[in-house]
Amino acid sequence: MLTAKEIRESYKDFFRSKGHQIVPSAPMVIKDDPTLMFTNAGMNQFKDIILGNVAAKHRRVADSQKCLRVSGKHNDLEEVGMDTYHHTMFEMLGNWSFGDYFKQEAIDWAWEYLVDVLKLNPDVLYATVFEGSPAEGLSRDDEAASIWAKHLPESHIINGNKHDNFWEMGDTGPCGPCSEIHIDLRSPEERAAVPGRDLVNHDHPQVIEIWNLVFMQYNRKADGSLEPLPAKVIDTGMGFERLCMALQGKKSNYDTDVFTPLINKIGELAGKKYGEDAKVDVAMRVIADHVRTIAFSIADSQLPGNAKAGYVIRRILRRAVRYAYTFLDQKQAFMYRLVDTLIDSMGEAYPELPKQRDLIMKVIKEEEDAFLRTLENGIRLLDSAIASAKKEGKNEISGKEAFILYDTYGFPLDLTELILKENGMTLDQAEFDSEMAAQKARARNAAAVETGDWVVVRDGEQEFVGYDMTKTPTRILRYRKVKQKNNEFYQIVLSVTPFYAEMGGQVGDRGHLVNGDDIVEIYDTKRENGMGVHLTKKLPADIEAVFEAEIDEEARKAISSNHTATHLLHEALREVLGTHVEQRGSFVSPDVLRFDFSHFQKLTPEEIRRVEHLANSRVRAAIPRDEKRCVSIDKAREMGAMALFGEKYGDEVRVIRYGSSVELCGGTHVDNTGNIGMIKIISESSIAAGIRRIEAVTGARVEDMLDKMQDTLREIGSMFNNVPDLVQALRKSIDENAELKHQAEEYFKERVNVLTNELLAKAREVNGIKVVELTGIRLPEVVKNVAFGVRAKSPEHTVFIGATKDPAEKPLLTLMITEDLVADGMNASTTVREAAKLIQGGGGGQPGFAQAGGKNKDGISAAYEKMHSILGL
């Protein structure tokens, strides 16, 4: 039986024998593409070639690509782990032809590999072909069907609809019919009872698609029409995990050696056995799947976070922790302990895993610990909501409360439902769904983008000259209108451009297009599908004219200074902290630079100063830039340039050297380090486990900062009559202030104590309960301290009711109930929440103490009476 490693290599060997260039997997996390966060298909890294923006270096290519899907057909995150064959992270085996071979070879080689090389039983294979779409004037793909007829009987060639058998890159762009290969893994008896063709594309777990052959031959325009592509493309994708299942005679992807080492380790750590409990099995599958996604994402420099790609990874990680917590009884971090097992299985094919082992483990553990604390807090909040509902005689909590737990605190809905069920309660599902729908609508509206078709002014490819020029004559190749959030702007592609398009953390250039008196501002430059796209609020008056494209030189100089400074800081950090330091991200604008790097503890002030001084010594050395363009990646490494994991490099790269600093970089840089002027680090912080961030400014921004510091010191000095020793004067002032503060606190305590005694002396007794009341204009901290003072002096049979306004006349309700009365059924939190409606406010707290603020000061008396009424006082 072939192992997973052997299957992966056999695929590459086969297509190598067919003249394909075997290329490495692109990173799973995509950067510099506004349309995608993750590689979700093997074709992503070849998108520019398919769109015709760049020429193909190799017309035949094959690889094994790591992919991530968390939405779309059969890939919803909440379904992963529930069945045997869907995943978040998966490997896609693919082969491509860019204007070379087409349907004949793609189908014949797929058959040859599956049947002749891998020895799969041809009797259990089925192929689907596009049935056509009369509405779009598309006929059945008889060409593909006739080729399949050489290999399969007619009963194994199945027509498929547009949804299954017409592949599209997006709403616009390259598309075409496809042919899926399905395999029937059922027993002979099952196959005899029901033909496999009747189960194709019907979500049967043993009749599954393993390979999709896409024949790109059209381009979809914005108006929905199709036009033939000038160069046809073959794009195939085979699910590696499913192929392993078929070849290893398993009924589940999770039973193959892709996953069994992880599942066995999970069982060992949790003291559970796979196959004995359905819920435990689901949990183990979820964790085995998700730890792969999380580890590869971190290795590709995407850390869990609160926005965009980082939020997706955090959500996946938290889903795994939630399953471990609920079904495997794991109340402490344990998923990070699976990383070594993953490395044993996949580290050979993907060296970024062993290279980043320590970082991956540290980040996962920190995220696990943080979410476990969230679960504890969420359970406490949910328990409080359950108790409040029961006090009111309800057996349901509101969907809004559940949504706040889910959305604000990250508490999983299914865990809320489980805890409610254990307490004999439910939630208002309709209200929860309404809250969720409203949130999704807000997100859709915020992200909605309408793009028109490109209007082609003239043919040609864009040439970037921005490394050498700041202005150049140019013409418009094409343009289109874009609408986003009711904001209209235009995207323009120029024939020759000096504008650097945003990439690698460096912001895009801004500037102007000039034709005589017609001046059009370019306010940003983005990179899309390998091209620089210039953003403008309006189009030039004469689209056909020759323009002068000129960038904002001052902004470019500041950007270049900051970018070069990141290189010098990177080198200085490695010298001061150690060679374990590696770049983890950066942001470079005219105003500031951010540099993220791997390091496991906070930098001391002395370390920051040493880094700063080292970097500035290289600034003062005025080292000229040594730039090498179109250097082979191997030659660049020989020169000492570091390749960063998470980045995709071509065969030829650009190398930037300043003395001993050597980096692969496509950004803009100063001619000489002396142009930077000076580097000043303004902050150092942690952004994730094992990842630190420094922010710095350079050049004129350093002067601005020093001017502000000097002005501040001068102003402080004048406050102390410009004494010679300002530090000593400040210290003396602080000491005196501390003494005065202490005296004030003592006076405050005394006044609170006096007021407490006065109120207790005036207390009423109602039904054996001492009622202490406070009204009028009061400081909020006085009210709270008096309430606690009353409880300390009268710990039983006592209620403190406060209905006060602060000096700004904002109303405040305060309620303290002693523990014996709480045990009898009184609840400060629910009482205050109900009374707060009369002051147009809200609040809460614990059963023994609660407060609420509001907006309506005129309702304070009614709220005061409401609290008495609820408590029966």
Side-chain angles (χ1 to χ4, degrees):
M1 182 177 73
L2 290 173
T3 67
K5 293 179 181 178
E6 291 169 338
I7 293 168
R8 189 187 292 113
E9 290 309 308
S10 79
Y11 181 86
K12 295 177 184 177
D13 290 343
F14 176 80
F15 280 99
R16 186 181 288 112
S17 74
K18 301 298 183 183
H20 289 65
Q21 176 71 26
I22 308 302
V23 299
S25 170
M28 192 167 72
V29 180
I30 292 181
K31 299 168 184 174
D32 306 318
D33 185 338
T35 65
L36 281 175
M37 288 192 293
F38 302 102
T39 296
N40 61 5
M43 55 71 59
N44 291 155
Q45 68 167 305
F46 306 113
K47 192 173 169 184
D48 292 343
I49 298 173
I50 295 168
L51 289 168
N53 296 325
V54 298
K57 185 170 183 180
H58 307 285
R59 298 183 71 190
R60 298 183 181 187
V61 170
D63 72 354
S64 175
Q65 172 67 51
K66 50 189 178 180
C67 300
L68 172 59
R69 289 183 187 170
V70 288
S71 62
K73 179 187 173 185
H74 304 316
N75 287 286
D76 187 85
L77 175 60
E78 300 307 323
E79 294 178 11
V80 173
M82 300 300 173
D83 60 27
T84 60
Y85 58 98
H86 288 131
H87 307 288
T88 51
M89 184 261 175
F90 61 97
E91 292 181 76
M92 186 73 82
L93 304 175
N95 58 282
W96 287 266
S97 165
F98 307 116
D100 189 4
Y101 62 84
F102 203 48
K103 295 181 185 180
Q104 180 77 53
E105 294 86 348
I107 294 172
D108 287 347
W109 289 341
W111 183 263
E112 180 183 350
Y113 178 64
L114 293 175
V115 176
D116 297 342
V117 176
L118 297 182
K119 309 300 182 186
L120 285 174
N121 179 4
D123 295 338
V124 298
L125 295 178
Y126 294 84
T128 62
V129 296
F130 180 46
E131 66 185 5
S133 173
E136 298 201 61
L138 295 172
S139 59
R140 178 177 184 262
D141 192 354
D142 291 330
E143 181 184 2
S146 65
I147 300 170
W148 278 119
K150 298 189 306 179
H151 306 295
L152 288 167
E154 186 177 346
S155 61
H156 282 231
I157 302 171
I158 304 166
N159 285 347
N161 59 29
K162 184 180 175 184
H163 178 266
D164 291 322
N165 281 88
F166 194 87
W167 187 93
E168 306 205 41
M169 183 180 289
D171 293 335
T172 61
C175 56
C178 62
S179 187
E180 299 172 340
I181 303 171
H182 295 252
I183 189 166
D184 186 350
L185 299 175
R186 296 174 301 153
S187 67
E189 294 76 17
E190 290 173 306
R191 293 199 297 270
V194 179
R197 66 172 291 119
D198 294 345
L199 300 175
V200 167
N201 275 332
H202 283 78
D203 290 334
H204 193 286
Q206 267 77 57
V207 183
I208 57 174
E209 174 197 339
I210 55 171
W211 206 345
N212 189 14
L213 314 179
V214 178
F215 315 125
M216 291 189 212
Q217 56 192 92
Y218 303 108
N219 179 52
R220 173 81 67 185
K221 302 180 73 174
D223 63 3
S225 62
L226 297 171
E227 60 183 10
L229 279 178
K232 296 176 181 178
V233 173
I234 286 292
D235 165 13
T236 86
M238 177 154 54
F240 174 68
E241 293 80 7
R242 296 184 181 189
L243 180 61
C244 290
M245 178 173 70
L247 290 171
Q248 294 179 3
K250 305 297 183 182
K251 299 298 183 183
S252 163
N253 290 358
Y254 293 96
D255 292 337
T256 69
D257 66 341
V258 176
F259 288 100
T260 51
L262 283 170
I263 288 175
N264 291 338
K265 186 65 177 179
I266 293 167
E268 175 191 324
L269 293 173
K272 306 284 185 182
K273 189 172 181 181
Y274 188 71
E276 294 184 346
D277 183 297
K279 291 183 177 178
V280 169
D281 291 353
V282 168
M284 295 173 90
R285 290 196 293 267
V286 166
I287 295 163
D289 173 275
H290 289 7
V291 75
R292 296 182 351 137
T293 296
I294 298 156
F296 273 97
S297 297
I298 295 168
D300 282 349
S301 297
Q302 181 56 65
L303 303 174
N306 290 326
K308 298 183 180 179
Y311 176 74
V312 174
I313 301 306
R314 177 165 284 165
R315 183 181 172 209
I316 292 171
L317 189 150
R318 289 183 167 187
R319 182 173 188 257
V321 174
R322 175 264 182 276
Y323 272 89
Y325 182 92
T326 304
F327 300 107
L328 302 185
D329 303 319
Q330 296 302 301
K331 311 306 183 190
Q332 295 182 330
F334 97 112
M335 201 161 59
Y336 74 99
R337 297 165 67 188
L338 302 174
V339 172
D340 283 335
T341 303
L342 178 62
I343 289 172
D344 288 342
S345 297
M346 303 186 72
E348 184 179 333
Y350 299 99
E352 59 267 37
L353 287 178
K355 173 73 174 177
Q356 308 294 349
R357 173 188 178 273
D358 292 345
L359 176 67
I360 293 167
M361 293 180 70
K362 192 168 182 67
V363 171
I364 292 177
K365 184 178 187 305
E366 185 173 280
E367 285 286 325
E368 286 187 273
D369 287 336
F371 188 53
L372 287 167
R373 290 193 295 271
T374 294
L375 288 177
E376 291 177 5
N377 292 335
I379 289 170
R380 188 162 55 249
L381 290 168
L382 183 56
D383 285 345
S384 177
I386 289 171
S388 297
K390 285 184 175 179
K391 290 289 183 185
E392 297 171 13
K394 299 177 180 177
N395 62 359
E396 179 184 77
I397 70 166
S398 73
K400 191 169 186 178
E401 283 182 294
F403 184 77
I404 290 171
L405 274 171
Y406 169 82
D407 190 50
T408 304
Y409 297 99
F411 196 76
L413 176 63
D414 55 354
L415 187 53
T416 296
E417 292 173 322
L418 180 65
I419 293 171
L420 289 174
K421 185 177 180 181
E422 290 170 352
N423 284 270
M425 300 187 72
T426 60
L427 67 85
D428 186 338
Q429 186 68 49
E431 187 178 41
F432 180 91
D433 292 342
S434 176
E435 292 287 331
M436 179 67 81
Q439 185 203 56
K440 288 182 176 179
R442 289 191 296 269
R444 278 195 303 271
N445 291 337
V449 178
E450 295 179 30
T451 55
D453 278 329
W454 285 108
V455 178
V456 178
V457 179
R458 57 182 48 80
D459 293 329
E461 292 186 7
Q462 185 179 84
E463 179 187 2
F464 174 65
V465 296
Y467 292 141
D468 306 305
M469 301 178 186
T470 58
K471 62 175 65 176
T472 183
T474 190
R475 304 187 78 165
I476 294 176
L477 294 178
R478 52 189 176 273
Y479 66 90
R480 67 180 176 187
K481 180 186 285 189
V482 180
K483 291 183 180 179
Q484 185 173 25
K485 292 187 190 178
N486 300 318
N487 178 36
E488 287 189 359
F489 59 95
Y490 293 88
Q491 295 177 334
I492 297 175
V493 178
L494 300 175
S495 60
V496 185
T497 180
F499 287 78
Y500 182 86
E502 182 178 330
M503 185 175 67
Q506 178 174 326
V507 300
D509 281 330
R510 55 185 187 241
H512 297 89
L513 275 182
V514 181
N515 175 29
D517 294 333
D518 187 15
I519 301 175
V520 174
E521 179 190 5
I522 294 174
Y523 64 87
D524 201 356
T525 311
K526 300 291 187 182
R527 187 170 303 274
E528 187 171 317
N529 300 324
M531 296 182 301
V533 179
H534 308 78
L535 276 52
T536 69
K537 292 294 185 182
K538 66 175 185 177
L539 291 173
D542 183 0
I543 295 294
E544 301 277 354
V546 175
F547 299 91
E548 186 81 1
E550 53 184 38
I551 66 171
D552 181 332
E553 289 192 53
E554 289 304 310
R556 166 68 80 83
K557 287 176 182 176
I559 292 170
S560 298
S561 291
N562 282 336
H563 202 148
T564 303
T566 65
H567 289 210
L568 302 184
L569 287 167
H570 188 189
E571 183 181 34
L573 284 163
R574 288 173 62 85
E575 290 183 34
V576 172
L577 304 178
T579 54
H580 66 279
V581 168
E582 289 185 354
Q583 180 176 341
R584 290 292 169 190
S586 65
F587 173 76
V588 179
S589 75
D591 301 313
V592 71
L593 70 89
R594 291 200 304 262
F595 187 79
D596 303 336
F597 58 97
S598 53
H599 188 56
F600 298 112
Q601 62 188 26
K602 181 177 176 61
L603 271 66
T604 66
E606 292 76 16
E607 287 172 332
I608 292 174
R609 184 163 289 179
R610 285 174 59 199
V611 169
E612 197 174 72
H613 286 185
L614 267 173
N616 278 312
S617 71
R618 278 140 197 174
V619 171
R620 291 191 298 274
I623 305 167
R625 182 181 71 232
D626 179 9
E627 176 183 350
K628 297 288 190 298
R629 301 179 192 172
C630 301
V631 178
S632 73
I633 187 69
D634 292 334
K635 178 65 176 175
R637 289 195 178 102
E638 288 176 15
M639 295 169 65
M642 288 188 299
L644 304 178
F645 279 104
E647 296 290 345
K648 175 69 176 177
Y649 297 103
D651 296 330
E652 294 183 337
V653 294
R654 179 171 175 253
V655 180
I656 300 295
R657 182 201 293 271
Y658 292 98
S660 53
S661 168
V662 186
E663 300 214 13
L664 303 178
C665 188
T668 63
H669 293 276
V670 296
D671 296 331
N672 184 297
T673 59
N675 298 144
I676 296 172
M678 185 179 180
I679 302 170
K680 186 66 182 173
I681 296 173
I682 57 176
S683 71
E684 187 271 346
S685 61
S686 170
I687 60 167
I691 305 294
R692 310 296 301 180
R693 168 175 290 171
I694 55 176
E695 294 193 35
V697 291
T698 64
R701 269 67 179 186
V702 178
E703 289 181 3
D704 293 341
M705 189 184 76
L706 293 176
D707 287 345
K708 288 177 183 177
M709 290 172 62
Q710 193 172 33
D711 292 344
T712 301
L713 283 171
R714 187 182 295 114
E715 186 174 349
I716 294 172
S718 68
M719 294 177 184
F720 289 87
N721 298 316
N722 296 313
V723 295
D725 192 340
L726 181 58
V727 173
Q728 180 61 31
L730 280 168
R731 187 173 289 118
K732 180 181 178 183
S733 178
I734 290 169
D735 290 343
E736 290 173 350
N737 182 65
E739 177 59 29
L740 290 170
K741 183 179 179 182
H742 175 71
Q743 293 175 14
E745 288 172 350
E746 291 300 315
Y747 176 75
F748 179 81
K749 289 178 184 177
E750 182 182 336
R751 293 305 303 155
V752 165
N753 187 51
V754 169
L755 180 57
T756 301
N757 291 333
E758 289 176 352
L759 294 175
L760 282 167
K762 297 177 183 177
R764 297 184 296 119
E765 187 166 313
V766 181
N767 300 325
I769 298 173
K770 187 181 293 185
V771 182
V772 183
E773 298 159 312
L774 180 63
T775 58
I777 304 295
R778 305 286 180 176
L779 291 171
E781 57 266 34
V782 169
V783 181
K784 184 175 181 180
N785 279 279
V786 168
F788 288 154
V790 168
R791 183 164 63 186
K793 292 176 182 287
S794 183
E796 294 182 337
H797 310 301
T798 304
V799 171
F800 171 87
I801 300 176
T804 58
K805 291 182 277 188
D806 69 9
E809 296 209 335
K810 290 184 178 178
L812 177 68
L813 304 180
T814 304
L815 185 58
M816 184 284 297
I817 301 173
T818 54
E819 290 183 8
D820 58 315
L821 297 178
V822 170
D824 289 341
M826 286 188 177
N827 189 301
S829 180
T830 56
T831 302
V832 161
R833 276 207 302 267
E834 185 64 28
K837 295 175 182 177
L838 299 171
I839 58 170
Q840 296 178 15
Q846 301 300 317
F849 179 80
Q851 286 187 306
K855 300 175 183 177
N856 178 23
K857 65 180 180 180
D858 296 329
I860 193 75
S861 296
Y864 177 67
E865 295 300 330
K866 184 70 173 178
M867 288 191 287
H868 282 79
S869 173
I870 293 172
L871 297 172
L873 302 174

